[in-house]
Amino acid sequence: RYPTGRITQESSLSAGGRDGPAFDFTWKNEGGFSLQNRIAYIPTPAGVVEFNLLTSAADKEEFTYALNSLMLTFRFSDKGKIELPELLDKL
């Protein structure tokens, strides 16, 4: 997908209690603007889910935080029904 891309870091990220490989890379679009991507591949019972963050270098930290927050909320179930924890209605 990104023929001019260059991997700058390889790591592992988690979502839904599962870990998968993640890659940070830089590339230039057709207009010559330098962009950064983070792609993570998380295996699930239904197949592999791809999380893809695309941002400029200036916004990388802010949007990386947003991607990590999203990945922390990701849930799936092996049994076909997501079981949510009970929430207290009184504190």
Side-chain angles (χ1 to χ4, degrees), residues 84-91:
L84 300 174
E86 289 187 37
L87 300 176
L88 298 175
D89 60 353
K90 298 176 184 174
L91 294 176

Side-chain angles (χ1 to χ4, degrees), residues 28-51:
K28 290 190 178 189
N29 66 10
E30 295 167 353
F33 188 70
S34 185
L35 297 168
Q36 296 192 344
N37 269 70
R38 172 171 284 177
I39 295 180
Y41 301 98
I42 307 297
T44 72
V48 177
V49 176
E50 177 185 303
F51 292 89

Side-chain angles (χ1 to χ4, degrees), residues 18-70:
R18 305 255 175 143
D19 296 331
F23 305 92
D24 289 359
F25 61 96
T26 60
W27 59 285
K28 290 190 178 189
N29 66 10
E30 295 167 353
F33 188 70
S34 185
L35 297 168
Q36 296 192 344
N37 269 70
R38 172 171 284 177
I39 295 180
Y41 301 98
I42 307 297
T44 72
V48 177
V49 176
E50 177 185 303
F51 292 89
N52 188 340
L53 168 71
L54 168 63
T55 185
S56 66
D59 296 326
K60 181 183 180 193
E61 186 174 323
E62 177 184 351
F63 287 102
T64 298
Y65 176 78
L67 175 67
N68 291 341
S69 295
L70 171 71

